[in-house]
């Protein structure tokens, strides 16, 4: 018994001793590297998808393109309370969570609601807004939709990966949900009768409907779970940051700042300048970036492609295999996937590249595979007798390549390289997903800001056509000149 | 000067050369004749390793070309080659075609190379074509430029691979004349050809090839007037 008592007291001591360590461990949990880094750099990086007025959208202020909206004002308030500068990073809505998880941004403030799926990946702050979800239909068709039971077989649009998409799937019985990338796509499809209804967030829908004559709310349709909360998303490993954000949100609620922000945003949404006055600069900027992407992509693609082509025709088996695998892999996967691979992949290996840099790299790497085949075909098209006669004159392989084969191959390669340039101009539109402000991205921005979903796409298509058709003509002339020397 | 021993060459299991033994002496003109597919072009192309034989020896100026440490680029400079299809460089004019290898490979000065090239063009009768491009020349002219180009490297032996087979009949003569005067100047030559008249008139020795081996060899008068091998008799009966 005595022994037992002794052991018992030792055990108790051990437990007491351990209990000293537990709180210490809990303290270590409040360590927040992300918060420390923000304080150190003095910059808070907030990601959003700026095609979602009144939350976030582009407008021209004093001739300068600016992202404005409720979420921006909230982000500014959070940054100000933390005493750091705010940096806005634009992404497609789909790419936001990936960007947050790979550390490209610190927060997402983009009208995002906490869902169980998202909560598995990231943390959310307290909600800063509660919003109603509403059903939008074409004017005159409101009668058709009186309850959630009237949607059997009806195509209902919603933005991909959003609360609205879940609502449309779960509550509109029998509906066929059409998930679209951008909000403006939904409006466009609804207007063009591709879909017959859409689930849209209240403030967003109100803003659009005040600008379009042909759409209307179907307010008889009531969702059971219609009130959604909007919150700030952040990493799970940032407890201090979460605390600071929640403090700011508490202030915002206390002072009812959201109402003020809404008014401020609405005032910016509708000003009276003409469409072209307001948005010409967006298209110009976008065209500039598109041309830059194509030039850099083809330039580095050509250098890398030539190296790959030489590897592929070399006698060294290893080089040959490397080049072949690379070329086949790149040609066999979509550019979109490659862009995500580069953009997020560089983060995984510890490089923080901007969206533009990632896109330039991805386009160059992609183009290289196609150029390699162009170069290889160009070299192969030179008669084998040329190599034989060069070698029989005592030239080594390198001299023969440089002096005899390449100058002739160039004439085969240049026209095809021109076509590759045209292709890259068109393909570069894909990089809009990571937020590079090229032409397609800017068209999306104008769609969001102007409440005109169709016109910006038409304008973008015309600009693309002018670029590619003009270039083809120029290349045609150059090709004839080159041919004239033979 | 060239000594070939037991040379074998096959393409994808098809045996083209089945053990060739041959000698070419300094200053000698050796003409190789034989039916199509007999392997005579392959034999010639093996001599400067445009084709790599699988077995055998090619001794050139005492060195075996098939030894791993032989610098083939250096040896090829001493062996001029003329092709059936000329293989002039289309992006270079006639003068550049001739001077490119002397200046780039032998590092001759451009002035010296040019002077030499003009001399050679005079020799083949094409002084006025120095600035023309290959596409502006007739077949016979192209082949004469090709001969001048090969000579510009100052080779010790010239290899001709059916040099007149791609020519229109009226141009054959001008090329053969250039080759004849080259032979008279004492150049060592190995010529694969179907021009029996040329073989008879210019050759010091004629090799008759069929089925990947040399069936018969000898002085042209012996081969053409009194062939011993029935294959030779049969072939000459058809072409003469």
């Amino acid at each position: 018994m005595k022994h037992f008592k002794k052991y018992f007291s030792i055990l108790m001591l051990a437990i007491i001793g351990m209990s000293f360590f537990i709180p210490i461990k809990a303290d270590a949990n409040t360590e927040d590297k992300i918060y420390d880094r923000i304080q150190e750099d003095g910059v808070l990086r907030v990601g959003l998808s700026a095609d979602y007025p009144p939350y976030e959208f582009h407008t021209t202020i004093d001739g300068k393109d600016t992202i404005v909206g409720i979420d921006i004002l909230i982000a500014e308030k959070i940054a100000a309370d933390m005493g750091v500068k705010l940096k806005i990073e634009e992404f497609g809505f789909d790419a936001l969570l990936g960007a947050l998880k790979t550390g490209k941004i610190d927060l997402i403030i983009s009208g995002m609601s906490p869902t169980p799926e998202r909560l598995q990946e990231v943390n959310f702050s307290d909600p800063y807004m509660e919003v109603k979800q509403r059903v939008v239909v074409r004017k005159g068709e409101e009668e058709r939709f009186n309850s959630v039971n009237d949607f059997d077989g009806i195509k209902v649009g919603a933005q991909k990966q959003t609360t609205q998409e879940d609502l449309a799937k779960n509550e509109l019985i029998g509906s066929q949900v059409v998930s679209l990338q951008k909000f403006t796509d939904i409006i466009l499809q609804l207007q063009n009768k591709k879909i017959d209804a859409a689930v849209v967030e209240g403030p967003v829908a109100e803003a659009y409907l005040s600008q379009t004559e042909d759409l209307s709310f179907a307010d008889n349709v009531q969702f059971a779970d219609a009130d959604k909360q909007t919150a700030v998303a952040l990493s799970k490993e940032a407890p201090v940051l979460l605390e600071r954000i929640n403090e700011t949100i508490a202030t915002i609620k206390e002072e009812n700042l959201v109402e003020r922000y809404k008014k401020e945003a609405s005032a910016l949404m509708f000003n009276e300048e003409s469409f072209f006055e307001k948005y010409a600069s967006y298209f110009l900027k976008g065209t500039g970036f598109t041309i830059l992407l194509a030039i850099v992509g083809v330039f580095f693609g050509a250098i890398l492609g030539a190296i790959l082509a030489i590897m592929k025709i070399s006698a060294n088996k290893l080089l040959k295999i490397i080049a072949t695998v690379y070329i086949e892999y790149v040609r066999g996967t979509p550019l979109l996937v490659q862009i995500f691979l580069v953009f997020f992949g560089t983060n995984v290996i510890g490089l923080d590249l901007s969206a533009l840099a990632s896109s330039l790299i991805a386009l160059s790497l992609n183009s290289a595979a196609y150029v390699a085949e162009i170069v290889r075909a160009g070299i192969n098209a030179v008669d084998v007798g040329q190599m034989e006669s060069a070698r029989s004159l005592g030239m080594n392989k390198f001299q023969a390549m440089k002096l005899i084969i390449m100058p002739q191959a160039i004439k085969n390669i240049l026209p095809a390289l021109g076509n590759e340039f045209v292709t890259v101009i068109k393909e570069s539109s894909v990089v809009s997903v990571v937020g590079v402000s090229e032409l397609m991205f800017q068209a999306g921005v104008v769609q969001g800001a102007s409440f005109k979903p169709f016109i910006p796409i038409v304008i973008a298509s015309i600009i693309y056509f002018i670029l590619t058709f003009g270039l083809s003509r120029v290349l045609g002339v150059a090709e004839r000149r080159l041919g004239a020397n033979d | 000067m060239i000594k070939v021993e037991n040379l074998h060459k096959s393409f994808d299991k098809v045996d083209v050369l089945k053990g060739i033994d041959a000698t070419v002496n300094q200053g000698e003109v050796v003409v190789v004749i034989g039916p199509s597919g007999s392997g005579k072009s392959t034999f010639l192309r093996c001599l400067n390793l445009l084709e790599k034989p699988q077995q055998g020896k090619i001794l050139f100026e005492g060195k075996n070309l098939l030894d791993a440490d032989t610098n083939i680029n250096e040896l090829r400079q001493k062996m001029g080659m003329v092709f059936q299809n000329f293989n002039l460089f289309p992006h270079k004019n006639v003068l550049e075609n001739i001077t490119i290898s002397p200046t780039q490979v032998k590092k001759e000065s451009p002035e010296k190379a040019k002077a030499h090239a003009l001399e050679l063009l005079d020799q083949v009768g094409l002084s006025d074509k120095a600035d023309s491009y290959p596409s502006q020349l007739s077949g016979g002219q192209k082949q004469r430029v090709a001969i001048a180009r090969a000579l510009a490297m100052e080779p010790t032996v010239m290899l001709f691979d059916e040099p007149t087979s791609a020519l229109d009949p009226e141009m054959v003569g001008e090329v053969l004349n250039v080759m004849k005067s080259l032979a008279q100047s004492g150049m060592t030559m190995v010529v694969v050809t179907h021009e029996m008249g040329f073989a008879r008139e210019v050759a010091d020795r004629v090799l008759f090839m069929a089925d990947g081996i040399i069936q018969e060899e000898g002085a042209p008068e012996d081969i053409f007037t009194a062939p011993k091998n029935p294959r030779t008799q049969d072939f000459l009966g058809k072409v003469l």
Side-chain angles (χ1 to χ4, degrees):
Chain A
M1 203 63 198
K2 223 178 177 185
H3 280 295
F4 176 78
K5 252 190 175 172
K6 197 175 170 191
Y7 285 127
F8 185 76
S9 53
I10 289 171
L11 191 67
M12 281 308 288
L13 262 173
I15 290 170
I16 291 164
M18 268 171 75
S19 68
F20 276 113
F21 288 104
I22 291 161
I24 292 171
K25 250 194 131 188
D27 262 357
N29 263 343
T30 61
E31 196 181 277
D32 185 341
K33 284 192 185 129
I34 296 172
Y35 182 75
D36 292 347
R37 196 206 48 73
I38 294 167
Q39 287 296 341
E40 200 175 296
D41 294 354
V43 180
L44 177 70
R45 298 168 306 168
V46 173
L48 44 79
S49 168
D51 54 358
Y52 209 50
Y55 288 99
E56 45 265 318
F57 56 100
H58 283 257
T59 195
T60 315
I61 294 176
D62 300 332
K64 258 184 77 182
D65 175 31
T66 318
I67 301 173
V68 295
I70 300 168
D71 284 344
I72 307 293
L73 293 165
I74 286 169
E76 278 171 1
K77 173 95 175 120
I78 291 172
D81 286 356
M82 281 169 63
V84 295
K85 272 194 200 145
L86 176 66
K87 191 169 174 222
I88 301 290
E89 308 261 12
E90 266 197 280
F91 292 90
F93 196 80
D94 272 356
L96 281 171
L97 283 176
L100 180 61
K101 288 205 72 182
T102 52
K104 287 197 177 284
I105 50 178
D106 304 315
L107 306 177
I108 301 171
I109 310 183
S110 197
M112 196 179 262
S113 308
T115 59
E117 295 82 23
R118 284 180 190 147
L119 279 164
Q120 281 181 3
E121 305 289 322
V122 295
N123 233 342
F124 277 93
S125 71
D126 296 338
Y128 55 84
M129 252 172 99
E130 312 239 334
V131 289
K132 257 191 150 56
Q133 308 300 325
R134 304 179 72 172
V135 173
V136 176
V137 297
R138 281 183 294 277
K139 193 157 257 176
E141 295 185 17
E142 302 94 326
E143 311 292 303
R144 281 172 67 194
F145 305 104
N146 288 314
S147 80
V148 291
N149 296 317
D150 293 339
F151 289 87
D152 195 25
I154 300 287
K155 286 187 176 160
V156 178
Q159 213 172 342
K160 211 157 110 192
Q161 291 192 355
T162 58
T163 319
Q164 295 81 41
E165 188 187 34
D166 291 343
L167 274 181
K169 275 185 186 153
N170 299 337
E171 295 202 22
L172 297 180
I173 295 153
S175 67
Q176 293 177 21
V177 177
V178 177
S179 299
L180 296 165
Q181 173 73 13
K182 281 170 23 190
F183 175 68
T184 44
D185 297 339
I186 297 172
I187 297 294
L188 190 59
Q189 294 218 1
L190 188 56
Q191 286 171 334
N192 293 322
K193 304 192 176 174
K194 306 269 186 216
I195 55 177
D196 293 316
V199 182
V200 184
E201 197 152 317
V204 179
E206 284 152 27
Y208 262 85
L209 263 59
S210 72
Q211 290 298 297
T212 42
E213 298 287 307
D214 48 356
L215 299 180
S216 164
F217 288 114
D219 271 341
N220 291 333
V221 182
Q222 292 288 335
F223 291 108
D225 190 18
D227 292 338
K228 289 287 170 182
Q229 296 171 327
T230 313
V232 178
L234 69 162
S235 164
K236 285 187 167 175
E237 276 124 45
V240 180
L241 183 61
L242 178 63
E243 207 173 292
R244 297 299 303 269
I245 291 168
N246 282 340
E247 281 166 21
T248 302
I249 287 173
T251 322
I252 288 172
K253 278 187 177 159
E254 248 165 57
E255 300 177 15
N256 202 13
L257 288 175
V258 169
E259 282 311 307
R260 222 177 76 197
Y261 292 166
K262 267 189 190 167
K263 274 183 200 139
E264 220 175 290
S266 299
L268 285 167
M269 277 165 70
F270 311 115
N271 54 22
E272 293 299 312
E273 284 174 90
S274 81
F275 183 84
F276 282 100
E277 246 176 275
K278 220 168 154 186
Y279 301 116
S281 65
Y282 291 79
F283 289 107
L284 273 180
K285 189 179 161 206
T287 307
F289 269 103
T290 290
I291 293 172
L292 172 79
L293 284 163
I295 289 175
V296 173
V298 172
F299 179 76
F300 288 105
I303 293 173
L304 194 59
I307 294 170
L308 283 168
I310 288 165
M311 282 167 70
K312 197 169 172 182
I313 58 174
S314 81
N316 185 320
K317 277 236 170 73
L318 181 67
L319 292 180
K320 209 172 199 156
I321 288 170
I322 292 172
T324 307
V325 168
Y326 180 87
I327 291 166
E328 293 306 321
Y329 193 80
V330 170
R331 297 205 313 168
T333 51
L335 177 59
L336 180 64
V337 174
Q338 293 160 13
I339 285 166
F340 278 128
L341 270 179
V342 172
F343 189 52
F344 296 126
T346 46
N347 263 63
V348 171
I349 59 168
L351 278 169
D352 188 19
L353 289 181
S354 71
L356 180 63
S358 305
S359 302
L360 289 173
I361 291 171
L363 275 175
S364 301
L365 291 176
N366 177 273
S367 188
Y370 290 90
V371 172
E373 285 300 278
I374 291 169
V375 172
R376 194 177 64 90
I379 290 171
N380 283 350
V382 176
D383 184 44
V384 287
Q386 292 292 311
M387 180 53 105
E388 289 184 349
S389 64
R391 298 303 303 273
S392 78
L393 286 166
M395 291 186 200
N396 61 35
K397 207 170 180 188
F398 179 77
Q399 285 171 322
M401 254 344 231
K402 184 182 121 192
L403 299 168
I404 306 302
I405 307 299
M406 284 318 275
Q408 295 182 60
I410 290 285
K411 280 189 189 174
N412 308 327
I413 292 167
L414 277 185
L417 209 55
N419 289 337
E420 172 64 12
F421 197 63
V422 169
T423 306
V424 174
I425 286 179
K426 290 186 287 178
E427 294 265 286
S428 67
S429 61
V430 170
V431 310
S432 58
V433 290
V434 291
V436 175
S437 43
E438 48 69 68
L439 187 51
M440 202 55 216
F441 181 86
Q442 296 288 23
V445 166
V446 176
Q447 278 184 308
S450 68
F451 303 98
K452 290 185 171 56
F454 191 59
I455 304 279
I457 297 297
V458 174
I459 294 173
S461 79
I462 291 170
I463 296 174
Y464 275 119
F465 182 72
I466 292 170
L467 288 179
T468 55
F469 186 74
L471 189 64
S472 300
R473 296 283 103 170
V474 171
L475 287 167
V477 171
E479 210 175 310
R480 275 195 293 280
R481 290 253 171 95
L482 248 149
N485 277 342
D486 277 341
Chain B
M1 172 174 245
I2 302 178
K3 195 167 163 49
V4 177
E5 288 171 15
N6 191 29
L7 198 67
H8 285 263
K9 169 74 187 173
S10 58
F11 295 102
D12 294 330
K13 291 179 188 163
V14 178
D15 292 329
V16 180
L17 301 182
K18 304 168 185 166
I20 303 271
D21 295 285
T23 316
V24 179
N25 298 313
Q26 174 89 41
E28 200 179 24
V29 176
V30 175
V31 174
V32 186
I33 60 170
S36 302
S38 59
K40 54 193 193 303
S41 274
T42 305
F43 165 62
L44 190 79
R45 288 161 59 83
C46 281
L47 291 182
N48 70 348
L49 291 198
L50 285 182
E51 304 293 351
K52 221 167 175 172
Q54 279 91 4
Q55 196 190 322
K57 271 186 184 173
I58 303 167
L59 296 165
F60 176 62
E61 295 180 341
K63 273 179 229 155
N64 185 2
L65 298 190
L66 297 175
D67 281 350
D69 61 344
T70 303
N71 184 340
I72 188 61
N73 296 323
E74 247 169 48
L75 287 172
R76 277 188 182 133
Q77 294 173 34
K78 298 181 187 165
M79 303 172 117
M81 177 118 182
V82 175
F83 298 85
Q84 182 176 348
N85 295 316
F86 330 123
N87 292 341
L88 294 182
F89 306 134
H91 59 301
K92 305 272 178 198
N93 68 24
V94 167
L95 196 64
E96 291 164 339
N97 260 279
I98 299 172
T99 56
I100 186 163
S101 215
T103 52
Q104 298 291 334
V105 179
K106 284 172 112 184
K107 308 290 175 201
E108 272 180 25
S109 73
E111 296 76 24
K112 190 183 162 203
K114 189 182 170 187
H116 189 199
L118 291 172
E119 234 170 76
L120 290 165
L121 278 176
D122 188 42
Q123 203 178 315
V124 301
L126 289 172
S127 300
D128 55 332
K129 298 290 184 192
D131 297 323
S132 302
Y133 278 84
S135 59
Q136 299 164 319
L137 302 179
S138 72
Q141 291 170 331
K142 282 183 197 169
Q143 197 60 298
R144 286 188 276 156
V145 171
I147 293 170
R149 180 177 68 174
L151 290 172
M153 292 300 282
E154 298 177 312
T156 54
V157 57
M158 286 283 285
L159 311 175
F160 291 85
D161 186 8
E162 302 198 25
T164 56
S165 296
L167 295 177
D168 291 337
E170 74 269 22
M171 291 169 183
V172 171
E174 58 189 76
V175 173
L176 290 181
N177 283 337
V178 168
M179 290 168 64
K180 261 181 228 168
S181 58
L182 195 59
Q184 279 153 16
S185 74
M187 174 63 78
T188 311
M189 292 164 65
V190 182
V191 184
V192 171
T193 187
H194 292 292
E195 296 293 331
M196 295 306 149
F198 175 84
R200 210 163 179 164
E201 187 185 338
V202 184
D204 296 310
R205 203 145 43 85
V206 174
L207 309 184
F208 173 73
M209 271 184 79
D211 300 331
I213 55 170
I214 295 174
Q215 305 277 357
E216 185 169 358
E217 66 170 290
E221 49 270 32
D222 297 338
I223 298 279
F224 286 106
T225 52
K228 295 185 188 76
N229 189 309
R231 294 295 308 266
T232 323
Q233 290 162 0
D234 179 51
F235 174 72
L236 289 174
K238 281 177 190 156
V239 298
L240 287 179

